[in-house]
Amino acid sequence: MGWKMRLPTAALLLGLVLVVTGEEENNPCAHDPLPEEDTVLCKGLEVFYPELGNIGCVYVPDCNNYREKITYWSEPVVKFPGALDGASYILVMVDPDAPSRSQPNRRFWRHWLVTDIKGSDMKTGNIQGKELTGYQPPSPPANTGFHRYQFFVYLQEGRVISLPRKENKTRGSWKMDKFLTRFHLSEPEASTQFMTRSFEDSRPFQAPGGGDRESKNIQTEIT
Ligand SMILES: *[C@@H]1O[C@H](CO)[C@@H](O)[C@H](O)[C@H]1NC(C)=O
């Protein structure tokens, strides 16, 4: 017996090792998990985009133009399986990294704000209610690194939520903490985040002077 039995086993093991290392080799389509320090918000919320599925607590993969597609896809399915049937909820989506994580002087960028969401809808991810701020897709400007896109669900409990005209006027520099204090909202019932960066950043050659939606908004809102 001896080596004749062991050879196929060795070949099988070698094959397995090759398969495993091949997969670990930076697969651009993988749903790479966020680093440990960015997982604090991973609490009971799922965010589904077309083609990608749930991207809660992962990076938007850098393949199939996903980082570009997400800049024009409409609102995701946001599912809170732990939602209570009789309750009503508030959904907030923000980017704390506007215009960049290292210099977030336009924090928070309000991407979406919906109130009066029925518990039964929150459970299935069918977000309907009063849209105080319409959905704006993630479109991080080029060369500003990865941005976090954060989702929070609060229990509304009969509160009437509105945005003063001043807050409604702009998305950037939103004082979210003041908003929460004003309506006595403390801990979210559920939350999550994903990260992405400009699709232009992964291209070998960049067209000069190409702007994008978020940076254009910054300019128009400043004026
Ligand atoms: C302002 O209010 C309108 C009506 O509720 C809403 O559709 C719009 O998205 C709001 N704009 C912002 C930036 O929140």
Side-chain angles (χ1 to χ4, degrees), residues 111-131:
H111 277 268
W112 201 18
L113 175 60
V114 189
T115 68
D116 302 271
I117 306 165
K118 284 188 194 144
S120 50
D121 286 340
M122 201 66 252
K123 221 182 208 169
T124 59
N126 171 28
I127 303 303
Q128 293 184 338
K130 230 162 89 186
E131 207 167 54

Side-chain angles (χ1 to χ4, degrees), residues 28-95:
C29 279
H31 281 48
D32 287 327
L34 299 186
E36 183 67 28
E37 66 268 25
D38 285 317
T39 58
V40 284
L41 296 184
C42 305
K43 285 186 211 152
L45 204 57
E46 297 160 8
V47 174
F48 297 83
Y49 281 93
E51 299 179 40
L52 289 170
N54 181 13
I55 55 163
C57 292
V58 302
Y59 288 94
V60 173
D62 191 15
C63 77
N64 297 338
N65 298 326
Y66 289 141
R67 288 182 184 168
E68 183 169 10
K69 287 177 176 175
I70 204 166
T71 67
Y72 56 77
W73 278 334
S74 55
E75 72 272 14
V77 165
V78 181
K79 201 184 277 189
F80 173 29
L84 304 172
D85 272 332
S88 63
Y89 293 92
I90 301 165
L91 172 67
V92 181
M93 173 186 176
V94 286
D95 171 5

Side-chain angles (χ1 to χ4, degrees), residues 203-219:
R203 285 190 183 156
F205 301 105
Q206 258 173 265
D212 86 308
R213 197 188 322 220
E214 210 155 292
S215 54
K216 272 182 208 136
N217 271 349
I218 289 173
Q219 283 159 11

Side-chain angles (χ1 to χ4, degrees), residues 110 131-134 168 171:
R110 194 169 69 254
E131 207 167 54
L132 298 189
T133 299
N168 177 258
R171 291 176 181 266

